[in-house]
């Protein structure tokens, strides 16, 4: 079977599992316990934090271990926005306006700015803040390549904002946003910028100083660490209202007994991904370009979605008009190739992908989307076979007609 769905998840690397093993067995302690076994766990956690901080170019105290990308996004969006709106954040706080009702302390006009193609972990967090805390949410449109307009961003942030969140790389089409330029604009208005770097990790530079971001989310299982571990980088002076209360772990920012083995796995996977990043990105970009060119040449009317060049090396996403994405997926699976009709989170939904419709694709074309996300160990020969299979699969579905 050929696995072309790395953007959904990746298998745990053997070296990552081996690094985690001691903290699941002999050194299984609770990192808060004051005995030898607990201290061994605490030391491993501290080392994992240092390792992640080295990759991100920040201080270990700025790393918060979470249960994954979704939690990191939730903590960034809700945590920073609520702290800013109640005057606890480092940012400008709320713009002037009435409060949300007696005792809530939340300003009604607190403003959130995101792109319209963020992951649901960000968009649903914003919806929650709008529904329950009276925030306003500006969703910036994107062009047909998936890029936001920086002048529109400037105008939106000029109205004041509690938080701006723009993903580094999109999970469905792979478009990479100009985060450093976005950060300069956010900085001009003293707005905290969060970026979801879940898909970017392993392919793009993650130095938070160079990116200029105040917060950045990562997820372990896209990198060869297990599901259920992630990281939020939160710049030192920025406050985030905790979402999970309890024993005060992670310096009160995320309570709950630490997942020591998960943090170790996350750190090792991130270190390895960073060490291999440049070479992997160059190799994969060349292979992905060949793969896309073969499919575009072999499938009449095929559309490569996302930016032609500013895209993740690992993602090639297409629409194949005259098919349905699900039928092409089934046909490819019959040919022993697994991929996705869009993001794993939206799989099974009958609605066309909001990301693709935001790019301006008609709903009936968006329904024909297929995403291939490559793993770094794939060979050119395998990808050649995959491209031939895609051409065959689309021809078969078109011949048989869409059910
Ligand atoms: N953000 C992006 C861009 C993603 O692609 C995903 C997962 O697909 C997430 C966030 C959620 O991460 P997790 O699965 O670790 O909760």
């Amino acid at each position: 079977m050929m696995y072309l769905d790395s953007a959904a998840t990746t298998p745990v690397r053997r070296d990552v599992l081996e690094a985690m093993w001691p903290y699941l067995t002999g050194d299984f302690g609770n990192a808060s316990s004051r005995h030898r076994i607990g201290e061994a766990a605490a030391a491993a956690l501290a080392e994992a934090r240092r390792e992640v901080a080295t990759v991100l170019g920040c201080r270990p105290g700025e790393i918060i271990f979470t249960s994954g990308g979704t939690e990191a996004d939730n903590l960034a969006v809700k945590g920073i926005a609520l702290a800013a709106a109640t005057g606890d954040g480092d940012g400008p706080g709320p713009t002037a306006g009435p409060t949300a009702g007696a005792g809530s302390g939340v300003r009604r006009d607190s403003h959130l700015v995101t792109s319209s193609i963020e992951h649901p972990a960000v968009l649903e967090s914003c919806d929650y803040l709008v529904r329950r805390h009276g925030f306003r949410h500006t969703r910036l449109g994107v062009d047909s390549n998936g890029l936001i307009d920086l002048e529109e961003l400037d105008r939106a942030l000029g109205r004041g904002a509690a938080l701006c969140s723009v993903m580094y790389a999109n999970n469905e089409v792979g478009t990479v946003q100009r985060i450093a330029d976005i950060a300069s604009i956010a900085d001009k208005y003293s707005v905290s910028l969060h970026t979801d770097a879940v898909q970017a990790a392993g392919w793009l530079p993650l130095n938070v100083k160079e990116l200029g971001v105040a917060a950045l989310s990562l997820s372990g299982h896209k990198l060869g660490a297990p599901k259920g571990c992630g990281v939020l980088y939160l710049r030192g002076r920025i406050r985030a209202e905790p979402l999970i209360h309890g024993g005060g772990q992670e310096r009160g920012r995320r309570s709950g007994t630490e997942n020591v083995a998960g943090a170790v796995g996350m750190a090792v996977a991130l270190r390895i991904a960073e060490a291999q990043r440049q070479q992997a990105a160059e190799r994969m970009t060349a292979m992905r370009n060949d793969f896309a060119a073969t499919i575009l040449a072999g499938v009449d009317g095929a559309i490569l979605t996302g930016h032609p060049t500013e895209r993740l090396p690992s993602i090639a996403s297409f629409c194949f008009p005259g098919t349905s994405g699900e039928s092409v997926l089934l046909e490819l699976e019959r040919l022993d190739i697994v991929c996705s009709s869009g993001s794993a989170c939206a799989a099974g939904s009958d609605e066309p992908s909001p990301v693709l419709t935001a790019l301006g694709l008609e709903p009936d074309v968006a329904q024909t989307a297929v995403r291939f996300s490559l793993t770094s160990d794939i060979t050119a020969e395998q990808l050649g076979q995959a491209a031939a299979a895609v051409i065959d699969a689309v021809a078969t579905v078109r011949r048989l007609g869409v059910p």
Side-chain angles (χ1 to χ4, degrees):
M1 196 224 1
M2 211 185 303
Y3 183 75
L4 299 181
D5 205 12
S6 65
T9 196
T10 60
V12 177
R13 296 174 58 103
R14 175 172 280 276
D15 38 14
V16 166
L17 193 56
E18 281 169 2
M20 294 171 63
W21 184 250
Y23 306 101
L24 295 164
T25 53
D27 290 330
F28 60 87
N30 183 322
S32 301
S33 296
R34 298 249 179 267
H35 49 60
R36 253 181 312 165
I37 298 186
E39 280 164 10
L45 189 65
E47 177 55 23
R49 206 182 297 282
R50 270 194 297 276
E51 235 170 355
V52 174
T54 302
V55 173
L56 300 190
C58 66
R59 285 182 280 121
E62 295 174 311
I63 298 300
I64 304 170
F65 285 111
T66 68
S67 66
T70 299
E71 188 191 330
D73 283 349
N74 270 260
L75 180 54
V77 174
K78 295 183 203 161
I80 295 175
L82 288 172
T86 51
D88 292 341
D90 172 61
T95 47
T99 56
S104 84
V106 176
R107 306 264 181 150
R108 273 231 160 262
D109 64 344
S110 293
H111 185 202
L112 308 164
V113 178
T114 72
S115 82
S116 52
I117 59 167
E118 295 302 307
H119 189 271
V122 167
L123 292 178
E124 293 290 324
S125 293
C126 291
D127 284 354
Y128 163 80
L129 290 169
V130 168
R131 244 185 2 260
R132 304 301 295 239
H133 294 280
F135 280 75
R136 285 178 301 125
H137 179 195
T138 300
R139 292 179 186 227
L140 302 168
V142 291
D143 66 16
S144 59
N145 292 326
L147 287 177
I148 63 165
D149 181 314
L150 298 186
E151 284 176 18
E152 199 185 336
L153 174 78
D154 194 307
R155 282 194 297 278
L157 295 184
R159 297 200 290 274
L163 176 78
C164 175
S165 181
V166 178
M167 71 201 315
Y168 198 171
N170 182 267
N171 46 306
E172 287 184 46
V173 294
T175 297
V176 176
Q177 303 288 343
R178 295 156 286 184
I179 294 298
D181 295 339
I182 293 168
S184 309
I185 298 170
D187 208 35
K188 186 164 87 177
Y189 298 109
S190 306
V191 173
S192 299
L193 173 67
H194 163 250
T195 194
D196 175 334
V198 165
Q199 295 291 344
W203 302 111
L204 302 174
L206 290 179
N207 184 297
V208 291
K209 302 272 161 37
E210 284 163 21
L211 290 170
V213 294
L216 178 144
S217 304
L218 296 172
S219 168
H221 73 101
K222 315 287 183 181
L223 290 169
K227 294 160 190 65
C229 54
V231 156
L232 178 67
Y233 154 75
L234 188 61
R235 189 191 286 157
R237 287 171 54 230
I238 310 274
R239 299 275 77 79
E241 185 65 28
L243 306 183
I244 302 177
H245 300 90
Q249 289 89 346
E250 298 296 299
R251 294 165 67 187
R253 296 168 299 183
R254 199 276 183 185
S255 286
T257 301
E258 299 91 339
N259 175 2
V260 177
V264 168
M266 173 84 221
V268 172
L270 189 63
R271 169 168 46 78
I272 295 170
E274 180 59 20
Q276 300 176 343
R277 179 173 59 78
Q278 207 152 3
Q279 212 180 355
E282 280 168 23
R283 175 172 172 272
M284 197 55 62
T285 300
M287 282 172 45
R288 192 269 331 273
N289 286 347
D290 286 348
F291 176 70
T294 308
I295 291 174
L296 290 173
V299 178
D300 227 21
I303 302 163
L304 180 70
T305 53
H307 199 286
T309 54
E310 299 305 309
R311 61 188 302 136
L312 282 178
S314 52
I315 292 188
S317 51
F318 299 89
C319 285
F320 299 121
T323 68
S324 86
E326 291 297 328
S327 311
V328 175
L329 281 198
L330 285 176
E331 184 56 20
L332 281 171
E333 187 151 9
R334 211 180 57 75
L335 299 172
D336 241 12
I337 293 174
V338 291
C339 54
S340 158
S341 61
S343 70
C345 325
S349 149
D350 284 339
E351 294 298 309
S353 147
V355 170
L356 295 177
T357 50
L359 265 63
L361 289 161
E362 292 299 329
D364 60 324
V365 175
Q367 292 280 23
T368 72
V370 181
R371 176 189 71 184
F372 302 95
S373 47
L374 317 180
T375 50
S376 47
D377 58 357
I378 199 146
T379 64
E381 191 191 348
Q382 286 172 318
L383 265 189
Q385 288 164 5
V390 173
I391 294 167
D392 280 353
V394 174
T396 303
V397 171
R398 282 180 174 166
R399 197 173 57 245
L400 296 177
V402 178

